[in-house]
Each structure stands twice: as C-alpha cells, then as structure tokens.
Amino acid sequence: MTLKNKKILIIIGGGIAAYKSLDLIRLLKKNHVEVRTILTKSGREFVTPLSLSTLTKSKTFENIFDSESEAEIDHIALSRWADIILVIPTTANFMSKLSLGKAEDLATTVLLAADKDIILVPAMNVRMWLHKATQSNLKILQDFGYLFIGPEKGEMACGEFGEGKMSSPRQIFSYLKNYFDKKNIVKERNLKALVTAGPTREYIDPIRYISNESSGKQGYEIAIALSKLGIKTTLITGPSKLAPPKGIKVKKIISADEMLNEVKKTLPVDLAVCTAAVADFKPAEKSKNKIKKKKLNFKSINFIKNSDILDFLSKNNRNRPQIVAGFSAETKNVIKNSTQKMKDKNCDLIFANDVSKKEIGFNSDFNKVSMIDQKGNIKILPKNKKSFIANKIAQILLDKLFDDRNIN
Ligand code: PMT
C-alpha cells in the first residue's frame, strides 16, 4: 500500500467544510499515514485542536510564536517533515494571501518555506470562486506550482448550487493514493528523460554564426516539470542566458552536431522532448580564421543540412525512447504543417506553437500550444506562462507513458 508511512501535513482553513478534514484524517490514519496538523485561527472556529490531536495522536500546531511548539519542531522542520502538504479547505481569502506570498502566521509561513508539493482543496461559494479576483489568484497559484483538488459542482452549505463545493474526503484520499502510486512507480522503474532546449549556433568563422531567437525558457521549464515528477532528467541546451536548474543534469552545447552527440550519449531514456530550435542548415565550411571583410561574399554562403535530432530519436530502433515528443514552430497553417512534421519524423506527439505572434513562442514568458497525436487528436493548451504549460505537458507525457505500459 503506497500510502503506508507517508507523512502528510494538513493545514485546516477557516470554512464550514473544515469539519470534513476530520473524516479525511480518519481515513488516512486507517491507512497508516502519519498526519500532523496546523489549525489556522479561523479554522479554529470550525474544528477544535482537541479533536485534531485525538485523531492524529499528535500535537496540533497553531501559533508561530509558540515557544513550546517551536522547540518541539520549528516551522521549517515541520514543512521538511512532510512528504506532501494539504490545505483543506482552502478559502478565497487564503488563496489571496498565498498569491501575494504572505507569511503572516504559521500556516502561510510553512507554505512559503515548503520544498514539497502543496495541494490546495478549495471550498467557497460559487460567486466567490468565479470572481475575477479568485480566478486570477488561481492562475498565479497554478503558476507558482500549487496543485489543486476540485472544487466540485454541487449544493453548498449556503444553499446555492454551482462550482465551489469542496471535494469529498474519499476524492481527496483517491487523489493522494494516485499521487503516491505514480511517484513510487517513477522511482522504482528509475524513469529517465532528456529534453533539448534553446537555439544552436552554426559558425561561419570564429566570430560569425547563424542562429535564432530561442531563449531556452520552454525547454528548461519542461525539464524542471519532469524532474519535479521524480523523473531523472537531462537537459541538453544550446546557448541560453538561463541559470542551470537545480537537480537536473545539464549538458551545454553550441551546434546541432554537438547536440546530436550529447543526445546519443544520454540514451537510453524513457521520454524525449525536443523543444530546441535546432538550425536546419549549417555553413558547408567553417573558416578557421576570421574572414576578412573584403573576402566575404554575401551572395553565396554554401549551406548543408544538419542531421535532424527528433527524427533520429523517433526512428532509432535500438534505443528509441518509449515516448518521443517534438515541438513545431510555424507561422502559418500551424496545425496542418505540424501534423505533417509529426508524421514525417515519426514522433508520438507534437506540440505546435504559432511563432508569428510576439506574445507567445520565441523568447516570451508565455506560450500557447496545440498538442497533436498520431491519431489526429488535437488538444489546445491555452495561453499561459511557459512554466504552467510545461507542468501540463510533463503530466500528459507521464500519463501517456503509464497508459502505454498499462500502469493504472
Ligand atoms: O526557447 P524559447 O524562447 O522558450 O522558445 C520556445 C520555442 C518557440 C523554441 C519552442 O516552443 C519550439 O517551438 N521549439 C521548436 C523549434 C523548432 O525548431 O521547430 P521546427 O518546427 O523547426 O522543428 C520541429 C522539431 O524538430 C522540433 O522538435 C525541433 O527540436 C526538431 N529538430 C529540428 C531540426 C533539427 N535539425 N533537429 C531537430 O531535432
């Protein structure tokens, strides 16, 4: 049982649904989960520290300035202790505080200091949930990497009907079981991924080169997202100003040939994602010395084709990653051209982006992609931060890997 001996820190927020946290704790304890709780000031209006401590068989933490609690386990250690942190119920006010990065009490301080996944379980009136302020906070929090369970549609404590009802303890329990099952499988099977990112440079002479505007942002974010899922990830990147992400093996290259070489050395992997904007051509010859202005003949630089890395990965019989995903940068007929590209290169999925638009694609912090698969299914990931798109893509790729291997 994957939940056995897991450590879950539950923060109880101030809403009527707080009483359901007691049922969840009972369910978790029955499954041998270690539970600790933080009770917020408003949460105390709905459940008591005594009922929480009775169920968890442990102290209920309430106050950041409580010297006894801090001596027992300080707020940083409390967040390090947990395998995962849950906020149940998450109110509109709490979402607003988190989106501002507040650290005004024990709960918000622990969350700001946390290095584990944090799951928010919203519960509020439908109007509050749909309010632009809450929806905008939701986007910010998703971008920060918070995970969400619900809310569901249904009748609320206030008598109104709609989206905002908290997921049931059973639903939360199933989510947690699924979350830890997947983490275990990723670890047990030692899943590995490679991601290509950034531009390549194809030199004409020692100082002049052909390249493009790729910043590496989309690829770096995908590598980070895959690594967060527990997948051992290698990032093979062309020149980029971005700092190497922590916990990820980074291989820096300059040209397409070097990128291909590093890709070959990194195999075998289970997943490969090619986000790099690899130059399709390179100068047929590279001058050893700087070409003198007088000798430069701008009318004709001879180009030859670079090897296609995505094509190599997809058609590599000996070491083909189980899933090979490409990106497609197009300025018109985006879906048609990208579908053709996927078929020609034989990758499993292609993520098409329209790079004619300045606000997405090359160098922007945002992207909008259409995911196309071999069956012709198209799923649009609407415009959002590249980090958000990356988390979605990482989850899609992991789910596909599990589906293909029949892992439930
Ligand atoms: O780096 P950012 O600033 O964040 O921008 C992100 C991005 C726009 C670069 C990214 O989202 C993107 O679209 N990447 C693919 C860019 C590209 O080269 O597309 P393409 O349509 O030319 O190539 C199709 C696929 O083949 C890509 O997966 C590419 O990595 C791969 N390819 C292309 C040529 C080649 N020689 N080898 C390859 O592997």
Side-chain angles (χ1 to χ4, degrees):
M1 176 62 177
T2 44
L3 279 174
K4 193 173 173 185
N5 297 334
K6 291 285 178 245
K7 298 185 179 98
I8 301 184
L9 177 63
I10 300 183
I11 294 174
I12 288 113
I16 179 67
Y19 76 92
K20 292 187 189 169
S21 64
L22 302 176
D23 275 345
L24 177 67
I25 294 168
R26 282 185 52 199
L27 210 50
L28 292 170
K29 291 297 287 180
K30 247 170 84 180
N31 285 275
H32 312 284
V33 177
E34 275 189 62
V35 181
R36 281 182 171 168
T37 52
I38 294 177
L39 184 57
T40 60
K41 201 170 157 212
S42 38
R44 212 180 205 279
E45 303 291 331
F46 299 93
V47 291
T48 67
L50 181 61
S51 42
L52 290 172
S53 291
T54 309
L55 289 176
T56 60
K57 306 214 175 343
S58 121
K59 182 183 167 74
T60 302
F61 296 87
E62 288 189 80
N63 191 347
I64 192 159
F65 300 116
D66 176 350
S67 57
E68 223 179 85
S69 300
E70 279 288 296
E72 189 179 318
I73 177 166
D74 68 61
H75 61 279
I76 302 290
L78 197 53
S79 73
R80 298 293 176 270
W81 168 86
D83 293 312
I84 198 165
I85 306 177
L86 214 63
V87 183
I88 156 175
T90 311
T91 60
N93 187 39
F94 202 79
M95 282 175 68
S96 160
K97 285 186 202 177
L98 291 186
S99 69
L100 291 171
K102 293 230 170 186
E104 60 177 21
D105 56 12
L106 182 60
T108 48
T109 308
V110 162
L111 290 175
L112 208 58
D115 61 350
K116 304 292 165 36
D117 279 344
I118 299 167
I119 303 181
L120 305 181
V121 193
M124 63 195 77
N125 168 275
V126 56
R127 299 268 158 241
M128 290 170 90
W129 174 250
L130 294 177
H131 196 285
K132 274 188 182 167
T134 310
Q135 289 301 308
S136 144
N137 290 334
L138 171 67
K139 278 201 167 158
I140 294 171
L141 294 172
Q142 284 174 328
D143 181 45
F144 286 168
Y146 288 93
L147 303 170
F148 280 81
I149 304 179
E152 317 294 328
K153 257 192 184 160
E155 196 180 337
M156 292 162 206
C158 57
E160 284 188 35
F161 187 90
E163 205 176 352
K165 188 181 164 71
M166 193 173 90
S167 301
S168 70
R170 273 265 154 222
Q171 285 170 313
I172 301 169
F173 181 81
S174 303
Y175 180 101
L176 291 171
K177 189 175 167 320
N178 194 271
Y179 172 91
F180 284 114
D181 277 346
K182 283 195 171 159
K183 282 244 153 154
N184 272 6
I185 293 168
V186 167
K187 204 170 156 195
E188 270 166 23
R189 304 199 179 189
N190 194 19
L191 293 185
K192 298 193 192 85
L194 77 77
V195 179
T196 69
T200 64
R201 282 183 191 165
E202 311 301 330
Y203 276 86
I204 300 164
D205 70 12
I207 54 160
R208 302 183 179 94
Y209 58 81
I210 314 282
S211 192
N212 59 66
E213 286 280 298
S214 168
S215 61
K217 285 177 193 169
Q218 187 63 82
Y220 277 52
E221 290 296 350
I222 290 175
I224 294 169
L226 288 170
S227 165
K228 273 203 307 208
L229 292 176
I231 301 172
K232 274 201 189 125
T233 305
T234 304
L235 173 66
I236 302 168
T237 173
S240 164
K241 289 186 180 137
L242 301 174
K246 276 188 199 145
I248 292 174
K249 189 165 187 184
V250 180
K251 295 181 171 182
K252 291 189 176 179
I253 55 86
I254 305 282
S255 67
D257 285 339
E258 288 169 16
M259 184 172 268
L260 177 62
N261 257 337
E262 286 305 332
V263 163
K264 284 181 181 167
K265 282 195 226 161
T266 308
L267 292 175
V269 295
D270 303 276
L271 274 175
V273 191
C274 294
T275 53
V278 185
D280 290 314
F281 295 94
K282 63 183 172 191
E285 281 167 47
K286 177 186 163 191
S287 167
K288 228 171 117 200
N289 298 308
K290 183 184 167 197
I291 303 172
K292 292 305 223 185
K293 212 186 295 178
K294 278 186 201 153
K295 283 197 184 165
L296 265 182
N297 179 354
F298 286 114
K299 276 189 203 148
S300 63
I301 296 175
N302 281 333
F303 284 102
I304 52 171
K305 254 187 150 180
N306 266 325
S307 310
D308 193 298
I309 300 165
L310 177 61
D311 188 85
F312 162 80
L313 281 164
S314 305
K315 295 179 185 161
N316 176 327
N317 287 331
R318 217 160 48 92
N319 258 334
R320 189 196 194 276
Q322 188 181 329
I323 293 174
V324 180
F327 265 70
S328 171
E330 287 291 338
T331 51
K332 63 174 187 182
N333 299 329
V334 178
I335 299 294
K336 191 169 162 242
N337 292 345
S338 303
T339 306
Q340 194 54 49
K341 224 177 276 180
M342 174 185 63
K343 289 194 169 143
D344 292 344
K345 303 195 188 200
N346 200 29
C347 56
D348 303 294
L349 296 168
I350 202 146
F351 295 94
N353 39 206
D354 183 345
V355 291
S356 67
K357 298 190 162 63
K358 271 276 157 239
E359 69 279 12
I360 58 169
F362 281 99
N363 220 343
S364 160
D365 285 339
F366 293 85
N367 210 353
K368 175 188 166 191
V369 301
S370 304
M371 181 185 86
I372 309 166
D373 70 13
Q374 283 286 355
K375 289 183 191 149
N377 298 315
I378 300 172
K379 183 181 159 85
I380 293 173
L381 304 182
K383 185 181 165 196
N384 214 317
K385 283 263 183 84
K386 280 183 176 164
S387 52
F388 182 81
I389 301 268
N391 283 324
K392 285 267 177 238
I393 289 177
Q395 199 52 62
I396 288 169
L397 294 174
L398 186 63
D399 287 346
K400 182 163 172 50
L401 196 92
F402 278 24
D403 278 355
D404 291 359
R405 290 189 188 178
N406 256 331
I407 303 169
N408 305 304

